[in-house]
Amino acid sequence: METTMKTALEDFRLETRQWLEENCPASMRTPVKDSGDFFWGGRNATFQHEDQKIWFERMLKKKWIVPYWDTKYGGGGLSDAENNILTQEMTRLGCRKPIFSFGISMLGPALHKFATEEQKMRFLPEITAGKTWWCQGYSEPNAGSDLAGLQTKAEDMGDHYLINGSKVWTSYADKSDWIFCLVRTDFDAPKHNGISFLLIDMASVGVSTRPIKLISGKSPFCETFFDNVKVPKENLIGTLNEGWTIAKYLLTHERQMIGGVGETDVRRELHEIAKESLPLKDGVLADAVLRSEIAVQGMNDSIFEMTIQRIMDEAKTGVNAGALSSFFKYYGTEQNVSRMELMTAITGSDGLVWESENEDAKVQTRLFCRSKGNTIEGGTSEIQLGIIAKRILNLPS
Amino acid sequence: MALILNEEQKMLKDSANEFLAINAPVEQFRTLRDNNYQPFDQDLWKAIVEMGWTALTFPEEYNGLNFGFVGLGQVMEEMGKNLTKAPLFSSIVLGGTSLIHSTNNALKESWIPALMDGTKRLAFALDEQSYFDPTSIATTALKTANGFIINGRKKMVIDGGSADAFIVVAKTEENELGLFLVDADSNGITSTTEVLLDAGTYAQIEFNDVTIDASDRLSEIEEGNELLNKINNTAAICLAAEMLGMITAAYGQTIAYLQERQQFGKRIGSYQALQHRAAKLFCEIELCKSIVLKALQALDEGTTNLDELASLAKAKLGETLKIVSNEAMQMHGGIGVTDDVNIGFYFKRARVAQRLFGDYNYHLDRYARLNDY
Ligand SMILES: Cc1cc2nc3c(=O)[nH]c(=O)nc-3n(C[C@H](O)[C@H](O)[C@H](O)COP(=O)(O)OP(=O)(O)OC[C@H]3O[C@@H](n4cnc5c(N)ncnc54)[C@H](O)[C@@H]3O)c2cc1C
């Protein structure tokens, strides 16, 4: 029994490898430079170039946009073991993800757990087809770390909810088709008990966005305003006033994603870049301090990767990995931030180029700036440490 | 390969945990120390042999259990939790690994059974300086008509005062390193012991024209460096496993203290300054667990990047143990720096374990070199 299973998996690996080699265009196997390199899908989907389109369409046809979701929702129906193999093979070849989608990484898991079958059939196939670009409406001007303090109001008007309020830091709100939103449906209850989880079409009358410019010079996020927006009642996910449970569940997935869990993208090693740009002495980097910083970074990067594997392997034996999403988020983003600092140190003045014909240098400087948001978005590092202390270590309040 | 323990390995870990909690808790460490720094408890050693721990890593052809280093690593980790003193590391990890990878069948046949049943013990004589540097060995082994003459001084020989024989690393005339098995009662050996911070006894051994047979050479010509490298990797990884146990225990006791100790009318674990420090340590310890298991698995599989994994393990565990042992004392306040509680024992053993077979800097540098920078 076990051996036939093993050979079946071995066959699957070989077939997968061969299929990827034949179908993933060469340019889709190069490292992603920034988020602009991704295909984002949506109603007004645009491809940057032909290869991106080919890659997306082939993966779509293969049902590998979300390979591990049920086929009835347009997923590939792969088992955990098969999906792992696919991820490993994509990593091995350096294949990019065919689409970058909060629908897949954040909303999807929450819908699987909390939505009715009807809602799943309505929203999930659109995600696996790359047809809906979803954004996240959690944070508000006065509800950041203290997310449960949110004030955007949803009034019950009989056949619909009426939404008034505003969200902030909504990534890609100006490009998105739909928003998954936390709204207050009970102002008298304790703050965690009056929140609901609502899906809102961004094309609804009364929704508007205003982009905010980041220190990277780009403006991928927005303020989002709701002015008497009517939302059908069937867009409520889960139970009224119990949205906080869904919100937290979704956050565990968001945090794993930001922390780098399930990443297939291959990054260049810092020491390789350093050896190209800096002087050597006796075959090793002459700058001993920088060399040891690179080694510490390399050490922790590679052990963190092993740790993701270990915790995922443990999860398969029934150990709850959800509680560890704050660890992934905290450690993965702190590592990324220190990596970008080191990159900037290694590349010297090239790593500080803002406007230039040197496109690569420009991109890197902007990524460096963008990385500073990593330890803030999805809940700050301090908030993650607090969750670890309370939920995992059981330290008192 | 999945990065988790299989059922048998889990059972071994659980049984080691139970056994040591009863037979060798930290209190035993205290008693041995207070009893003129006894290296270990003889009854415990017999019981350890009966548990089969001395046979875990030896192949079946010598009646070993062939259970592997992942298994032995679990035992080392549990011993680390209890600061258990036993010659398992010196005789089985160091001595045993030297024999396992040796091609000298006569020595293997005569020594492996005796090591497994605990009747004889080996100690490993490598260091000559106050720091780990396997490349600068001054001890010599010069050829004679029927063997070798050994001259030199060794230090930091773990359990060297009570071993039946030493495995000595020495330079040969071919200007390479050789490993030789030398009886402890050979003529020309003088041995003195030092007690270090961890209350462990370490021997300084002088070899003065000590003659041995040609058949007592463990490594073949030109293969000494490789054999030594295997032993050093195994030592670093098993020490890392022991250090993981120390980390888990010292950290666990500290979290328990944060949960109960009250100041300013509140439990100190409610203060965010302490919570965040504790949470950061939690993350580092998660990394420690992964690299130790990965490296132990690599020992059993003979993975090609063993050098790198060994260095990652010893570097990461060394640095984390240093921080955890310091934070453990700090978060205990005044009582943490007294001899009345055990937390200071972890700090003391930590500093020795950190340095054995290469400290953080040594292994970080080696890791960088292995990656060619
Ligand atoms: C690049 C980026 C993209 C984002 N995308 C989205 C998005 O798509 N959708 C969305 O809803 N939100 C998004 N956010 C918002 C993000 O979730 C919030 O910025 C974050 O939760 C922090 O809230 P805040 O900005 O109000 O900071 P504050 O909560 O005001 O925090 C300020 C500082 O105080 C610290 N602090 C706050 N409370 C505590 C405490 N109890 N203990 C200790 N320290 C504390 C914080 O750690 C931080 O250092 C994004 C943010 C960024 C940077």
Side-chain angles (χ1 to χ4, degrees), chain A residues 254-292:
Chain A
E254 174 178 9
R255 287 168 182 165
Q256 291 193 8
M257 172 197 64
I258 299 176
V261 177
E263 201 57 73
T264 58
D265 196 32
V266 191
R267 297 181 304 191
R268 282 200 70 202
E269 299 278 4
L270 284 178
H271 62 80
E272 285 171 14
I273 302 166
K275 277 180 75 178
E276 281 165 17
S277 26
L278 295 170
L280 304 179
K281 198 178 158 217
D282 303 327
V284 305
L285 292 172
D287 182 338
V289 177
L290 185 63
R291 175 175 178 262
S292 89

Side-chain angles (χ1 to χ4, degrees), chain B residues 256-263 266-269 331-332:
Chain B
Y257 196 67
L258 295 183
Q259 282 161 341
E260 85 193 22
R261 167 77 174 163
Q262 300 215 4
Q263 282 297 284
K266 283 170 79 176
R267 287 181 286 168
I268 56 171
M331 291 188 195
H332 272 80

Side-chain angles (χ1 to χ4, degrees), chain B residues 249-302:
Chain B
Y251 183 68
Q253 286 166 28
T254 305
I255 296 298
Y257 196 67
L258 295 183
Q259 282 161 341
E260 85 193 22
R261 167 77 174 163
Q262 300 215 4
Q263 282 297 284
F264 300 97
K266 283 170 79 176
R267 287 181 286 168
I268 56 171
S270 63
Y271 296 114
Q272 200 181 53
L274 298 186
Q275 287 188 344
H276 284 195
R277 278 156 62 187
K280 283 183 187 173
L281 295 180
F282 170 84
C283 298
E284 297 300 340
I285 296 170
E286 284 302 300
L287 265 72
C288 288
K289 292 179 192 169
S290 318
I291 181 59
V292 168
L293 184 54
K294 184 90 182 171
L296 286 168
Q297 286 184 348
L299 275 179
D300 288 336
E301 287 166 29

Side-chain angles (χ1 to χ4, degrees), chain A residues 136 138-139 144-145 169 171 221 370 376-378 380 382, chain B residues 272:
Chain A
Q136 178 186 32
Y138 274 33
S139 307
S145 296
W169 323 129
S171 297
F221 63 13
R370 175 61 183 84
I376 298 167
E377 60 197 315
T380 66
E382 290 75 20
Chain B
Q272 200 181 53

